[in-house]
Amino acid sequence: MREPTRKGGRPRVVDREAVAKAVVEHGFVELSVSAIAQRLGVNQATLYRHIGGQDDLVDTGVTLLIRQAAWPAGGAHWRDLLEGAAWTVWGILRDNPGLMMAAGRRLLANDELIAVFNRLCLDLIKQGLPPDKATLAVDFVLDLACNTVLSRDFMLAGAMEGDSEPPRAWAGNFDPRVLEVITRAAGPGHEEWFAGKLTIALDGIERMFADMR
Protein backbone atom coordinates (compact mmCIF):
# COMPACT_ATOMS: atom_id res chain seq x y z
CA MET A 1 0.00 0.00 0.00
CA ARG A 2 1.42 3.36 -1.02
CA GLU A 3 1.75 6.20 1.46
CA PRO A 4 -0.87 8.92 1.22
CA THR A 5 0.89 12.10 0.15
CA ARG A 6 0.11 15.72 0.65
CA LYS A 7 -0.57 17.90 -2.35
CA GLY A 8 2.78 19.05 -3.51
CA GLY A 9 4.52 15.70 -3.57
CA ARG A 10 6.58 14.17 -0.80
CA PRO A 11 5.13 12.16 2.11
CA ARG A 12 5.08 13.88 5.47
CA VAL A 13 7.94 13.09 7.84
CA VAL A 14 6.56 11.23 10.86
CA ASP A 15 8.24 10.76 14.24
CA ARG A 16 6.96 10.44 17.81
CA GLU A 17 6.88 14.20 18.26
CA ALA A 18 4.68 14.58 15.19
CA VAL A 19 2.44 11.77 16.46
CA ALA A 20 2.14 13.44 19.87
CA LYS A 21 1.19 16.78 18.33
CA ALA A 22 -1.40 15.07 16.14
CA VAL A 23 -2.92 13.34 19.18
CA VAL A 24 -3.24 16.63 21.07
CA GLU A 25 -4.71 18.37 18.02
CA HIS A 26 -7.21 15.56 17.46
CA GLY A 27 -8.14 15.26 21.13
CA PHE A 28 -8.67 12.19 23.28
CA VAL A 29 -12.34 11.63 22.51
CA GLU A 30 -12.69 8.93 19.83
CA LEU A 31 -8.92 8.79 19.51
CA SER A 32 -7.68 5.92 17.34
CA VAL A 33 -4.64 4.83 15.37
CA SER A 34 -6.57 5.19 12.12
CA ALA A 35 -7.67 8.75 12.98
CA ILE A 36 -4.09 9.85 13.71
CA ALA A 37 -2.73 8.11 10.63
CA GLN A 38 -5.27 9.99 8.53
CA ARG A 39 -4.43 13.28 10.23
CA LEU A 40 -0.72 12.74 9.53
CA GLY A 41 -1.33 11.64 5.95
CA VAL A 42 0.27 8.21 6.35
CA ASN A 43 -0.99 4.65 6.52
CA GLN A 44 -1.36 2.78 9.78
CA ALA A 45 1.64 0.55 9.07
CA THR A 46 3.87 3.63 9.03
CA LEU A 47 2.37 4.91 12.25
CA TYR A 48 3.03 1.58 13.97
CA ARG A 49 6.74 2.09 13.33
CA HIS A 50 6.61 4.86 15.92
CA ILE A 51 4.01 3.64 18.44
CA GLY A 52 3.26 0.36 20.12
CA GLY A 53 -0.51 0.56 19.87
CA GLN A 54 -3.50 2.48 21.20
CA ASP A 55 -2.15 2.84 24.75
CA ASP A 56 1.17 4.13 23.49
CA LEU A 57 -0.66 6.53 21.19
CA VAL A 58 -2.44 8.05 24.18
CA ASP A 59 0.80 8.14 26.13
CA THR A 60 2.56 10.22 23.46
CA GLY A 61 -0.10 12.92 23.73
CA VAL A 62 -0.13 12.88 27.53
CA THR A 63 3.67 13.16 27.62
CA LEU A 64 3.62 16.19 25.33
CA LEU A 65 0.98 17.94 27.43
CA ILE A 66 2.92 17.33 30.65
CA ARG A 67 6.17 18.58 29.10
CA GLN A 68 4.53 21.75 27.80
CA ALA A 69 2.64 22.52 31.02
CA ALA A 70 3.67 25.37 33.32
CA TRP A 71 4.69 23.53 36.49
CA PRO A 72 5.67 25.45 39.63
CA ALA A 73 9.37 26.09 40.01
CA GLY A 74 11.30 23.88 42.38
CA GLY A 75 12.26 25.43 45.69
CA ALA A 76 9.04 27.42 46.06
CA HIS A 77 7.10 27.33 49.33
CA TRP A 78 5.36 23.97 49.76
CA ARG A 79 1.88 25.48 49.51
CA ASP A 80 2.73 27.26 46.26
CA LEU A 81 4.22 24.04 44.89
CA LEU A 82 1.18 21.91 45.65
CA GLU A 83 -1.35 24.55 44.65
CA GLY A 84 0.45 25.23 41.37
CA ALA A 85 0.79 21.54 40.53
CA ALA A 86 -2.88 20.85 41.32
CA TRP A 87 -4.06 23.69 39.08
CA THR A 88 -1.72 22.55 36.31
CA VAL A 89 -3.17 19.03 36.36
CA TRP A 90 -6.70 20.42 36.59
CA GLY A 91 -6.03 22.68 33.59
CA ILE A 92 -4.58 19.87 31.46
CA LEU A 93 -7.61 17.69 32.11
CA ARG A 94 -10.13 20.51 31.71
CA ASP A 95 -8.65 21.56 28.37
CA ASN A 96 -8.41 18.00 27.04
CA PRO A 97 -11.78 16.29 27.45
CA GLY A 98 -11.61 12.51 27.46
CA LEU A 99 -7.97 12.36 28.56
CA MET A 100 -8.71 10.67 31.88
CA MET A 101 -11.00 8.12 30.26
CA ALA A 102 -8.55 7.41 27.45
CA ALA A 103 -5.45 7.16 29.64
CA GLY A 104 -7.02 5.29 32.54
CA ARG A 105 -4.53 3.68 34.87
CA ARG A 106 -1.72 4.27 32.37
CA LEU A 107 -1.74 7.93 33.38
CA LEU A 108 -0.02 6.86 36.59
CA ALA A 109 2.67 5.06 34.58
CA ASN A 110 3.60 8.06 32.44
CA ASP A 111 7.32 8.79 32.85
CA GLU A 112 6.89 12.57 32.70
CA LEU A 113 4.14 12.60 35.33
CA ILE A 114 6.16 10.30 37.58
CA ALA A 115 9.11 12.70 37.31
CA VAL A 116 6.91 15.65 38.29
CA PHE A 117 5.42 13.70 41.19
CA ASN A 118 8.89 12.72 42.41
CA ARG A 119 10.20 16.30 42.22
CA LEU A 120 7.27 17.57 44.26
CA CYS A 121 7.81 14.89 46.91
CA LEU A 122 11.51 15.73 47.20
CA ASP A 123 10.72 19.44 47.56
CA LEU A 124 8.34 18.74 50.43
CA ILE A 125 10.87 16.47 52.11
CA LYS A 126 13.45 19.25 51.90
CA GLN A 127 10.95 21.56 53.57
CA GLY A 128 10.51 19.31 56.57
CA LEU A 129 7.91 16.63 55.86
CA PRO A 130 8.94 12.98 56.27
CA PRO A 131 8.76 10.91 53.06
CA ASP A 132 5.44 9.26 53.91
CA LYS A 133 3.64 12.54 54.61
CA ALA A 134 5.28 14.33 51.67
CA THR A 135 4.16 11.60 49.28
CA LEU A 136 0.67 11.54 50.80
CA ALA A 137 0.33 15.31 50.36
CA VAL A 138 1.38 15.25 46.69
CA ASP A 139 -0.80 12.24 45.93
CA PHE A 140 -3.79 13.82 47.64
CA VAL A 141 -3.80 17.13 45.78
CA LEU A 142 -3.10 15.58 42.37
CA ASP A 143 -5.81 12.98 42.96
CA LEU A 144 -8.14 15.80 43.93
CA ALA A 145 -7.52 17.56 40.62
CA CYS A 146 -8.01 14.37 38.59
CA ASN A 147 -11.14 13.23 40.40
CA THR A 148 -12.77 16.67 40.36
CA VAL A 149 -12.53 16.89 36.57
CA LEU A 150 -13.43 13.23 36.07
CA SER A 151 -16.55 13.45 38.24
CA ARG A 152 -17.69 16.54 36.35
CA ASP A 153 -17.11 14.77 33.02
CA PHE A 154 -19.26 11.89 34.20
CA MET A 155 -22.04 14.26 35.23
CA LEU A 156 -21.95 16.20 31.98
CA ALA A 157 -21.86 12.99 29.95
CA GLY A 158 -24.69 11.34 31.83
CA ALA A 159 -26.67 13.22 34.42
CA MET A 160 -26.31 16.87 33.47
CA GLU A 161 -28.19 18.39 30.57
CA GLY A 162 -25.76 20.65 28.78
CA ASP A 163 -23.73 22.67 31.28
CA SER A 164 -26.39 23.83 33.69
CA GLU A 165 -29.63 21.81 33.88
CA PRO A 166 -29.68 19.21 36.69
CA PRO A 167 -31.21 15.77 36.09
CA ARG A 168 -34.69 15.02 37.38
CA ALA A 169 -33.31 12.63 40.01
CA TRP A 170 -31.42 15.52 41.60
CA ALA A 171 -34.45 17.77 41.73
CA GLY A 172 -36.46 15.05 43.42
CA ASN A 173 -33.91 14.10 46.06
CA PHE A 174 -31.75 17.11 46.92
CA ASP A 175 -32.83 19.91 49.18
CA PRO A 176 -33.23 22.99 46.93
CA ARG A 177 -30.34 24.73 48.70
CA VAL A 178 -28.03 21.78 48.08
CA LEU A 179 -29.32 21.37 44.53
CA GLU A 180 -28.41 24.96 43.69
CA VAL A 181 -24.85 24.48 44.98
CA ILE A 182 -24.14 21.13 43.35
CA THR A 183 -25.62 22.19 40.01
CA ARG A 184 -23.35 25.21 39.92
CA ALA A 185 -20.36 23.11 41.00
CA ALA A 186 -20.90 20.72 38.10
CA GLY A 187 -21.43 23.56 35.64
CA PRO A 188 -20.28 27.18 35.46
CA GLY A 189 -18.87 27.20 38.99
CA HIS A 190 -16.61 24.20 38.48
CA GLU A 191 -13.36 26.18 38.80
CA GLU A 192 -14.53 27.93 41.96
CA TRP A 193 -15.64 24.56 43.38
CA PHE A 194 -12.22 23.03 42.78
CA ALA A 195 -10.55 26.06 44.39
CA GLY A 196 -12.63 25.51 47.52
CA LYS A 197 -11.77 21.80 47.70
CA LEU A 198 -8.09 22.54 47.13
CA THR A 199 -8.07 25.12 49.94
CA ILE A 200 -9.46 22.55 52.36
CA ALA A 201 -6.77 20.06 51.29
CA LEU A 202 -3.93 22.57 51.62
CA ASP A 203 -5.16 23.74 55.02
CA GLY A 204 -5.03 20.13 56.18
CA ILE A 205 -1.49 19.72 54.87
CA GLU A 206 -0.50 22.92 56.62
CA ARG A 207 -1.61 21.29 59.87
CA MET A 208 0.76 18.41 59.11
CA PHE A 209 3.62 20.88 58.84
CA ALA A 210 2.56 22.54 62.09
CA ASP A 211 2.57 19.20 63.87
CA MET A 212 6.17 18.64 62.74
CA ARG A 213 7.38 21.72 64.60
Side-chain angles (χ1 to χ4, degrees):
M1 180 177 178
R2 296 182 60 187
E3 295 281 7
T5 58
R6 292 173 294 171
K7 292 181 179 180
R10 296 187 301 174
R12 175 178 293 187
V13 176
V14 176
D15 54 22
R16 281 187 70 87
E17 183 179 356
V19 172
K21 290 179 179 178
V23 169
V24 173
E25 291 169 359
H26 177 277
F28 294 87
V29 177
E30 298 183 356
L31 177 65
S32 66
V33 173
S34 61
I36 298 306
Q38 183 176 10
R39 177 174 287 269
L40 290 172
V42 300
N43 58 41
Q44 293 185 47
T46 297
L47 193 56
Y48 275 117
R49 296 174 194 165
H50 305 282
I51 61 167
Q54 178 72 16
D55 287 342
D56 193 29
L57 185 69
V58 173
D59 199 49
T60 61
V62 172
T63 296
L64 179 61
L65 289 170
I66 293 172
R67 285 178 178 171
Q68 291 180 336
W71 297 97
H77 185 269
W78 71 264
R79 190 169 184 122
D80 294 332
L81 283 170
L82 291 179
E83 186 173 19
W87 279 112
T88 297
V89 170
W90 183 85
I92 290 172
L93 297 176
R94 176 203 58 188
D95 295 340
N96 295 275
L99 190 158
M100 280 289 292
M101 295 294 291
R105 293 180 179 177
R106 286 186 55 82
L107 185 62
L108 302 177
N110 181 277
D111 289 342
E112 290 293 325
L113 186 57
I114 290 172
V116 169
F117 191 105
N118 189 60
R119 288 198 302 270
L120 291 168
C121 290
L122 293 179
D123 257 310
L124 266 62
I125 291 170
K126 290 177 182 177
Q127 296 186 44
L129 281 186
D132 60 335
K133 294 188 182 299
T135 306
L136 177 63
V138 174
D139 186 52
F140 188 80
V141 297
L142 297 190
D143 266 357
L144 184 64
C146 291
N147 290 330
T148 299
V149 176
L150 184 60
S151 63
R152 178 177 184 263
D153 287 347
F154 280 144
M155 283 189 285
L156 292 181
M160 298 288 287
E161 296 292 335
D163 201 38
S164 60
E165 292 297 322
R168 294 178 182 176
W170 286 13
N173 292 286
F174 281 123
D175 180 282
R177 295 164 296 181
V178 177
L179 177 62
E180 180 183 358
V181 174
I182 200 168
T183 301
R184 177 169 175 74
H190 180 65
E191 184 171 353
E192 180 184 357
W193 190 248
F194 176 61
K197 293 168 73 173
L198 183 57
T199 296
I200 293 173
L202 294 173
D203 286 348
I205 295 168
E206 186 167 13
R207 179 59 184 268
M208 282 200 309
F209 271 97
D211 290 345
M212 297 298 299
R213 298 191 184 104

